[in-house]
Structures are given as C-alpha cells and as structure tokens.
Amino acid sequence: MKFVSYWHDTAPAFAGAAQGPVSGHYDVAVIGAGFTGLAAARQLARSGAKVVVLEAERVGFGASGRNGGHLNNGLAHSYLGAKAELGKERAIALYHALDDSIDTIKALIAEEGIDCNFRRSGKLKLASKPKHFEAIARNFEALNKECDPETALLSPEDLRSEVGSPFHGAMLSKKSAMMHMGRYVVGLADAAVRHGATIFEGTTVTGHHELNGTHTLQTSRGSVTVANVIMATGAYTTKNFTWFRRRIIAVGSFLIATRPLTNAEAQAVMPGNRTCVNTMNIGNYWRLAPDNRLIFGGRARFSATSDQRSDSKSGEILRDSMERIFPQLKGIDIDYCWGGLVDMTADRYPRAGFHDGLWYAMGYSGHGAQLSTHLGMTIADAILGKADRNPMQNYPWPAVPGHFGKPWFLPLVGQYYKMLDKFQ
Ligand SMILES: Cc1cc2nc3c(=O)[nH]c(=O)nc-3n(C[C@H](O)[C@H](O)[C@H](O)COP(=O)(O)OP(=O)(O)OC[C@H]3O[C@@H](n4cnc5c(N)ncnc54)[C@H](O)[C@@H]3O)c2cc1C
C-alpha cells in the first residue's frame, strides 16, 4: 500500500516552477498554489497583471491534491438550513456559485486543453436511515422549486441501478461532476505560467508588512514587494497569519483507494458511476477513479493531523466502513491510503473578501474542489476592478472562541457527532 495521494501519484509533475532567488516587484502575490491561488493567478496573468505565486511545498501539495475528487454543486448544509441562516437571497447566490463553479471548471479545462477526466456524473446524497430520507425529501421539495430544478428524488427501488448497497432513498443532483484532481491542478499551474505568472515552489512566506500600500513579503528564499496579496492558504495557513488561523479550523479527512476493480466488480458496486455521499454525521463519500478503483473517504477520526501514522489508523477505519457498505469488497487490496486537512469554518460557510490589506478566499468546509476555482477567479476580478460576484461579500467572520490555530476541541466535536449518529 502506498501512503500517498492517488491524485499526486498518477498526475504528471509540474515542470514550470521558477528557479533562483525570490525577488523583484509584482502587481499581485498569491500565497498558496492550490486551486484558489492558481485560478486567481491565471485570471490575473491573462489580464496582463504581473503575478507571483509563492508556495511553501509544491503545486497541489495541500487539499487540492488530496481530496475525494467530487465536484458537487450542493452546499455543506441543507438548502433549508442555509436559507434559515443566510437568508433566501444569499443562500441561493451561494448555491448558484457552486453551480457556476462546475461550469467555470468545464469551460477552463476546454479553453486550456487540460486532460483531467472531467465528467458530469451527477451526485447521490444517500439516506442512511429512513428518517434521513424524510429530511432529504423535505429539503428537495424547496430546493427543486426555488433553486435547482436539476435535482430528483430517488426511491430505494430506483437506487438498485445506481449503487450496489441498500439505502433508504436519495437526492440526485444532476449538475455535479468528477475529475482527476492531480491532473487538473498541474494543468491549472501550467496555464497560469503560459499566461505569464511566475510560480515559486519550496517558498514559505514567513513575514509580511505593508507601508503606504506596498507589501513586502519575506520568504524562505528572498523577498518581494507587491501591490496586492491574496491569501490562498486554506487549512495549511502558517502560524504567522494569526487572523486567518483563528478563523480556519484544519480538520483531517482521509481516503483509501482499492486496486482497480474489474468491470464486473465496478458494475456490482457502482453501476450508476456517480459521486456518492451518505447522510451520517461521521459520514463517507466515494466514487470510482478513472482506472476503476473505488476511492472511499470520510472523517474517520476527528484529528487535526495527517501523516502516515494518522492516515494509516484512519485507513483501517475506512476499510471497515467500506466493507460494511459494500460487503462484496471484503478483503480487497487497498493500494493507496492518504489524508489531508480540510479548511473548515465554524459555521461551514466559505469566506472571501479583503481584511487588513489582504485579499482572501478559503473556508470551503469540504466543498472547495469546485468553489475554490470560482472564488479564486472572483477575488482576482475584484482586484482587477471588475464586478464583485462574491456570494459571501460582507458576511461577518468572527474568530472561533478559544481557537489559536490548533483545534484542541476536535475530539469533543467527534464525540458529539458520534452521539448524534446514534440517536438521529
Ligand atoms: C481529504 C480531503 C477530501 C476532500 N474532498 C473534497 C471533495 O470531494 N469535494 C470538495 O468539493 N472538496 C473536498 N475537499 C476540500 C477541497 O479539496 C479544498 O477546499 C480545496 O482544495 C482548497 O483549495 P485551496 O487552494 O484553497 O487550498 P489548498 O489546496 O489547501 O492549498 C493551500 C496551499 O497554501 C500553501 N501555504 C500555506 N501557507 C503558506 C505560506 N505561509 N507560504 C507559502 N505557501 C503556503 C500550502 O502549502 C498549500 O499548498 C477535501 C479536502 C480534503 C483534505
């Protein structure tokens, strides 16, 4: 078994990183080379801005190269819940931003010629318990009428041709998609460079100050001066950016990938070949990879770390969950096991905007594989003086009380969700 992300292992290496010392003056510095940062850099560079991307590790090192590969167009919340919390107008705007994100990615891939197995697969939200289906049905009623007519309610019978495991019904979101995340992130970086952006890998931003509208960024390899800075650092935000660290909760999420399934096995497990997520609070998500592996993920443990030890512990838990849902896969070889940090906010709504001289987009709370491209481009457009399409514009973002970067409270949250899963 390899303890490495399947996406990292099966994507071409990015070969366009700039060499030599980090120096000079740029219009915009983007900190972080995940989807957010690279989409922003590409958008700015193609409009003629002089852009530098500063990445501590390598392109796609963070969540963008480690996720489940689902481009789902729903929110982290139920539509009814979001409507109650955000108001109808903002809830619909945010939902449509997720829809638009998938269209944006599809168009970008076509424009830049990125070969990343993009497919409009549709997503199933599968009810694990009968009363979960009642909640799905209530939500569907409002969502379908007010916001997304391309949704459908499926009965347990309908699901027989979709998933090789019994569930109590589901909601189908037809606009959702899937793709190869590693090929996309490298393709996005190549595109940004083609448009004129400079990308430095192995370059951690260690210090920042601003004087009269000019920012100086110190890095492990030199320093640059810039007119604008975009924070695209998500769950991997380093200690020196305290304001963001107090607002982003980095939560471990983990995945396993089986050996490639034969066509008969794939047909038995996932005849519908869509992205799937179940309704448990400590839930699971899965899909088939381009080479027919089952990629199966979940929170598994409420951990703030992802390293080989932590990932392998979670991998064992995930194997159990996978075999419970798909007993037909009992004992199958697991070829990959990996984890990453999800950029959660306390209310699980994303945030994008401008604070104390810094532009930012982050906090996608498990729904960032698509929204990050969209909000990265939205922030770039705001810098370019174009119309602001940010659905979370001016939405308050208070610090998480008692949180200074290490989420000590995660085990308590885990216990709480375990209890909910027992009784709800
Ligand atoms: C296991 C897992 C499964 C997921 N599954 C899904 C899914 O199926 N669908 C979905 O929609 N979302 C999913 N997500 C969430 C999604 O992947 C993220 O929201 C999204 O990739 C965030 O992209 P980003 O560019 O904002 O951040 P990242 O991709 O995390 O990039 C941030 C980068 O910033 C760099 N950085 C940080 N600080 C500094 C610094 N000081 N100097 C220089 N560089 C710095 C880091 O090295 C990192 O490369 C998942 C996440 C994980 C971890």
Side-chain angles (χ1 to χ4, degrees):
M1 188 197 307
K2 289 184 178 178
F3 288 98
V4 55
S5 154
Y6 167 77
W7 311 122
H8 284 158
D9 201 44
T10 55
F14 170 61
Q19 304 301 318
V22 175
S23 62
H25 182 80
Y26 293 85
D27 297 322
V28 185
V30 179
I31 309 180
F35 300 144
T36 305
L38 294 169
R42 170 186 170 271
Q43 182 79 341
L44 288 156
R46 69 209 279 259
S47 299
K50 192 179 173 206
V51 184
V52 64
V53 179
L54 305 166
E55 166 54 50
E57 302 282 345
R58 57 184 196 281
V59 159
F61 169 83
S64 300
R66 298 166 183 272
N67 56 64
H70 299 209
L71 300 175
N72 294 332
N73 67 323
L75 305 169
H77 312 66
S78 70
Y79 169 65
L80 288 173
K83 220 169 89 167
E85 286 166 15
L86 298 177
K88 187 173 175 182
E89 204 179 318
R90 199 190 287 271
I92 290 179
L94 181 56
Y95 195 98
H96 286 163
L98 279 137
D99 279 355
D100 292 348
S101 304
I102 301 174
D103 295 337
T104 303
I105 289 172
K106 188 170 180 232
L108 191 159
I109 287 168
E111 203 176 320
E112 302 292 356
I114 302 174
D115 175 12
C116 62
N117 310 89
F118 176 92
R119 189 167 72 80
R120 196 67 87 157
S121 56
K123 166 203 162 185
L124 290 172
K125 183 163 188 175
L126 296 157
S128 301
K129 297 183 182 179
K131 57 183 169 188
H132 293 183
F133 185 62
E134 289 162 24
I136 285 182
R138 271 196 308 278
N139 191 53
F140 164 79
E141 190 103 326
L143 179 69
N144 185 270
K145 196 155 38 159
E146 297 172 12
C147 190
D148 185 358
E150 291 189 52
T151 44
L153 205 56
L154 304 189
S155 68
E157 292 70 42
D158 298 330
L159 285 178
R160 286 206 194 111
S161 58
E162 292 284 352
V163 190
S165 179
F167 282 92
H168 299 275
M171 186 174 86
L172 169 64
S173 302
K174 297 179 193 166
K175 288 190 215 155
S176 292
M178 56 168 80
M179 66 178 172
H180 189 300
M181 294 297 172
R183 287 190 204 139
Y184 176 66
V185 79
V186 171
L188 197 52
D190 286 336
V193 170
R194 260 196 317 275
H195 289 292
T198 302
I199 300 180
F200 285 102
E201 296 186 307
T203 304
T204 307
V205 175
T206 50
H208 161 243
H209 67 262
E210 184 188 355
L211 188 65
N212 301 328
T214 298
H215 300 258
T216 302
L217 295 176
Q218 281 98 30
T219 81
S220 46
R221 288 173 57 185
S223 65
V224 286
T225 56
V226 296
N228 293 281
V229 180
I230 301 178
M231 292 293 295
T233 49
Y236 291 79
T237 304
T238 44
K239 279 185 190 152
N240 43 328
F241 292 101
T242 337
W243 192 83
F244 295 97
R245 294 262 297 182
R246 293 213 56 200
R247 285 158 176 81
I248 289 288
I249 309 161
V251 182
S253 191
F254 306 91
L255 288 123
I256 51 176
T258 64
R259 64 155 168 76
L261 304 184
T262 62
N263 285 341
E265 285 169 333
Q267 189 59 26
V269 169
M270 292 284 286
N273 202 355
R274 304 187 191 274
T275 61
C276 291
V277 52
N278 68 8
T279 49
M280 301 304 282
N281 285 295
I282 304 184
N284 293 108
Y285 49 91
W286 61 89
R287 55 160 281 190
L288 290 174
D291 60 359
N292 259 4
R293 298 168 192 280
L294 185 70
I295 299 184
F296 187 92
R299 194 122 303 140
R301 291 154 53 250
F302 275 71
S303 160
T305 47
S306 168
D307 52 32
Q308 184 164 332
R309 204 166 137 255
S310 175
D311 296 355
S312 71
K313 269 196 209 165
S314 302
E316 282 307 310
I317 298 172
L318 287 176
R319 175 194 266 284
D320 283 353
S321 308
M322 180 188 75
E323 291 181 351
R324 232 175 300 127
I325 294 173
F326 296 115
Q328 57 272 52
L329 295 181
K330 200 161 181 54
I332 194 164
D333 289 342
I334 303 294
D335 284 353
Y336 292 91
C337 173
W338 74 97
L341 301 176
V342 182
D343 49 323
M344 304 292 286
T345 57
D347 58 13
R348 295 185 300 143
Y349 293 110
R351 296 299 197 282
F354 186 71
H355 172 78
D356 203 14
L358 301 175
W359 295 92
Y360 62 87
M362 58 180 79
Y364 306 111
S365 303
H367 284 60
Q370 59 309 83
L371 196 57
S372 50
T373 293
H374 186 77
L375 284 188
M377 288 168 71
T378 300
I379 288 298
D381 283 347
I383 292 175
L384 292 167
K386 296 187 188 166
D388 197 337
R389 298 172 291 131
N390 173 11
M392 297 306 287
Q393 201 178 13
N394 301 327
Y395 196 71
W397 194 13
V400 180
H403 175 50
F404 298 95
K406 278 223 176 314
W408 53 269
F409 43 83
L410 280 186
L412 300 175
V413 177
Q415 287 307 323
Y416 172 69
Y417 282 133
K418 248 188 205 155
M419 195 188 68
L420 284 187
D421 277 340
K422 224 175 190 170
F423 298 111
Q424 272 192 343

